[in-house]
Each structure stands twice: as structure tokens, then as C-alpha cells.
Amino acid sequence: LKVAILNGIVMGGGAGVSIHGRFRVATEKSVFAMPETVLGLFPDIGASYFLSKLPGYFGEYVGLTGARLDGAEMLACGLASHFVPSTKLVSLEDSLVRVDCSDPFTICGIIDRFSQSKPLKESSAYNRLGVIDRCFSKRTVEEILSALEQEAV
């Protein structure tokens, strides 16, 4: 089984290689983004698939804006399956290496021993999911922009 440890920058192709796995461990050092969208390109490497699976219209928001998410946001929206402080990663890796098993329940149990909840920052876009859903549920980019302008007023 693949365990992706997302301790740092998780962008573009790096996201595509790791996000499709069953176990995706974020830390306080994780930064996720699809920066190609800022350049006017579309997210590739399967991003249209995994972004479409995020709650509400959060995937559309991330895909269209190139927004950067931290580890807590990755966990909250489902991009990460677990959050483990970076100071515990060596111990987690040692425990995973020592187990001679590929049973997903065993692997999950090991990761769970090191996992913790991580509250969202007050400024997190995920705290504004209602506004994101209202604006990014529109059919066209022009309608999304119009809804964002109306929301700003």
C-alpha cells in the first residue's frame, strides 16, 4: 500500500502522484495548490477528478483560483486522510517500515496512532464554504465572477 507523506509543497505533478493514494498524511508544513491555473492553464494529472470529489464547490474554487491550502485545510476537505505533526514523521515512518503487512486496516491503525486533529485557521477559505458554494456553483466563469462581485458588495 502506498502512504504519501505530504510534508511540504504538494503542487501540480506532486499532487497528482500523491493525492490518488489511499493514505495521504499532511503536516503543518504541507502546502497544496494547482499553480498552473494561475497561469491560465487547466489542472491536469487527474486533478479534475480529485478536485471534483471535494465537498460542495470547493474543488471548483481551488481549481479556478489556484488557492493554496495548508495541512489542516487538506484534512478538512478530504485531500489528506490524516494529519500528523512533522515532529512525529520519523516515528511514523519507522512504525510503517517495521510492520510486515499490507493490510489497509493495520496501516490505518498505525497512522491513526500518530494522527491528531488540526483546527482550521480563522482565515481559512474552507470556513467560507457557503459563500464558495453560492458563487462557484454557477455554470460559467462569467457567472462566477458576477456572483463574486455581488458577494463583495
Side-chain angles (χ1 to χ4, degrees), residues 1-77:
L1 284 172
K2 179 171 101 171
V3 177
I5 298 181
L6 313 170
N7 187 36
I9 296 172
V10 185
M11 296 185 183
V17 170
S18 57
I19 296 298
H20 298 286
R22 177 178 254 172
F23 302 110
R24 303 163 317 277
V25 179
T27 74
E28 74 283 356
K29 296 179 181 180
S30 300
V31 179
F32 172 90
M34 300 308 296
E36 57 271 37
T37 61
V38 176
L39 303 170
L41 303 173
F42 65 91
D44 54 6
I45 51 83
S48 57
Y49 174 77
F50 65 74
L51 290 176
S52 73
K53 302 297 182 192
L54 300 185
Y57 290 87
F58 198 66
E60 285 81 352
Y61 164 76
V62 172
L64 287 170
T65 65
R68 292 178 178 215
L69 307 179
D70 64 21
E73 291 168 312
M74 292 175 69
L75 181 65
C77 76

Side-chain angles (χ1 to χ4, degrees), residues 51-52 54-64 129-139 144:
L51 290 176
S52 73
L54 300 185
Y57 290 87
F58 198 66
E60 285 81 352
Y61 164 76
V62 172
L64 287 170
L129 194 54
V131 172
I132 288 169
D133 286 350
R134 276 195 304 279
C135 295
F136 285 83
S137 62
K138 307 303 180 196
R139 292 182 44 97
I144 291 171

